Each structure stands twice: as structure tokens, then as C-alpha cells.
Amino acid sequence: DQQVKQNSPSLSVQEGRISILNCDYTNSMFDYFLWYKKYPAEGPTFLISISSIKDKNEDGRFTVFLNKSAKHLSLHIVPSQPGDSAVYFCAARSRSNFGNEKLTFGTGTRLTIIP
Amino acid sequence: GAVVSQHPSWVICKSGTSVKIECRSLDFQATTMFWYRQFPKQSLMLMATSNEGSKATYEQGVEKDKFLINHASLTLSTLTVTSAHPEDSSFYICSARTARPGWPQHFGDGTRLSIL
């Protein structure tokens, strides 16, 4: 049962254009959402996050939008740069029975920026 | 800042041996560390959570006697895969965070474990 889904395994975008990565979730108990970026042979790097009580968070070229009614979030990167080429993971936070933070990850979207 | 170092990055060993993986937070105090496992073409799956000085809490379906976790200090957690078998071959990755609200988990680079 995949609670966090990234339905596009890959995406190619021209340099300078907007990249939009999508993520859907099913668990309404998630209270925080995060985006991580991963280069080959490295661990995921935190990019941006959003609380479930907000609908938008912006940090430089990166903006995350949350639509709670649709259980959908998206990451916008504008303008896209070649260095943005990586795998992007969406993650959603919940609390375990022990009260610990638990992140549930999507399967990732490979973004390729075409020069 | 927020660097997490994981060692080794790659290990190959014979079936039946035990393998220890270290996870260190280099520039912050990690009150909580997490261990994940990733199978090919699948997402990261949380195995267990460890709070410094406490016993680890394991996710459903993860054998605590198979995957021993120790978090004895604010900068170090270890995962020991005991009596490893080929089905334990996978990518293991740790993350760490402080107790500060809103602080995200920061990840190590992972360990590729291959059991022959």
C-alpha cells in the first residue's frame, strides 16, 4: 500500500523553463511534507518543506504547493538549471505509535534538464 | 552544515557473517537517528528509529534481533546486520535530526550491502 506516490518516474525539461514535480498521498494524518533531491552515489539532500496548515512555501527558485483537499503537492523549480538534474523524492511525515517522527517516501522522479 | 557521514559505503561479505554500519552526525547533535532500507526501484522504507540513550523502536515486520541498532551518543548510531544472508542484500541509509521543531532529517550517503 503506497501511501505516497510519484506517478512520473522521469521528467525532461528545457533549461530556463519551469519544472513541475508532482506527488499524491492517501493518508490524511500526514502533517508535514518534504522534498529531497538525490544525486547518484549520494544520500538525499533536503530541499524544501511545507506544513499541512499552509498551501505554499517558497525558497528562491523552489516553491512547494499543497492542495489538501486533493491530497496533492507539487514542487516547482523556475528557472530550471542543469545542476537541477537529479532524482527528487517527496516525503510525508506522520507520528508512529511511539510518538516518533516517521517519513514515508515516494519512489522518486528523475528530472533531467536539457541545456 | 548538517553533515551525516555513513561508513562503509559498500561492503561484500559471505553469508553468515555480521556486518556493522556506522552513521555519524559531524556538525550537530543527533537526538534521533533513523535507519532506512531501499530495494531496487522502490522507495526508502523506514526500518527503525533510535533516540540517543534509548532502545530503538522498530517498524512492523523488521526483526530486531536481525538488525541491531545502537545509539550510544549524540553523534553516532550503528546498525549491525547479524548472520547476514543473501536476502539481506540491499541499500541501507541512515538519517539524523536534532530535537529542534521544523528541522528536517539529514541523510548519509548510504551503504550498499551484498551478501554472497
Side-chain angles (χ1 to χ4, degrees), chain A residues 6 21 33-39 43-49 75 86-92 101 103 105 108-109, chain B residues 36 44 95-97 103-107:
Chain A
Q6 293 177 257
L21 297 107
F33 300 90
L34 306 90
W35 284 95
Y36 284 85
K37 173 181 178 179
K38 186 182 182 302
Y39 292 118
T45 302
F46 171 71
L47 203 53
I48 192 170
S49 62
L75 173 68
V87 177
Y88 289 78
F89 290 95
C90 166
E101 163 180 308
L103 291 185
F105 282 83
T109 297
Chain B
Y36 294 82
L44 293 170
S95 70
R97 60 160 296 160
W103 225 72
Q105 292 181 29
H106 291 276
F107 285 82

Side-chain angles (χ1 to χ4, degrees), chain B residues 83-111:
Chain B
S83 187
H85 291 286
E87 59 266 27
D88 299 321
S89 298
S90 191
F91 184 70
Y92 295 86
I93 191 165
C94 71
S95 70
R97 60 160 296 160
T98 69
R100 204 169 90 199
W103 225 72
Q105 292 181 29
H106 291 276
F107 285 82
D109 287 343
T111 298

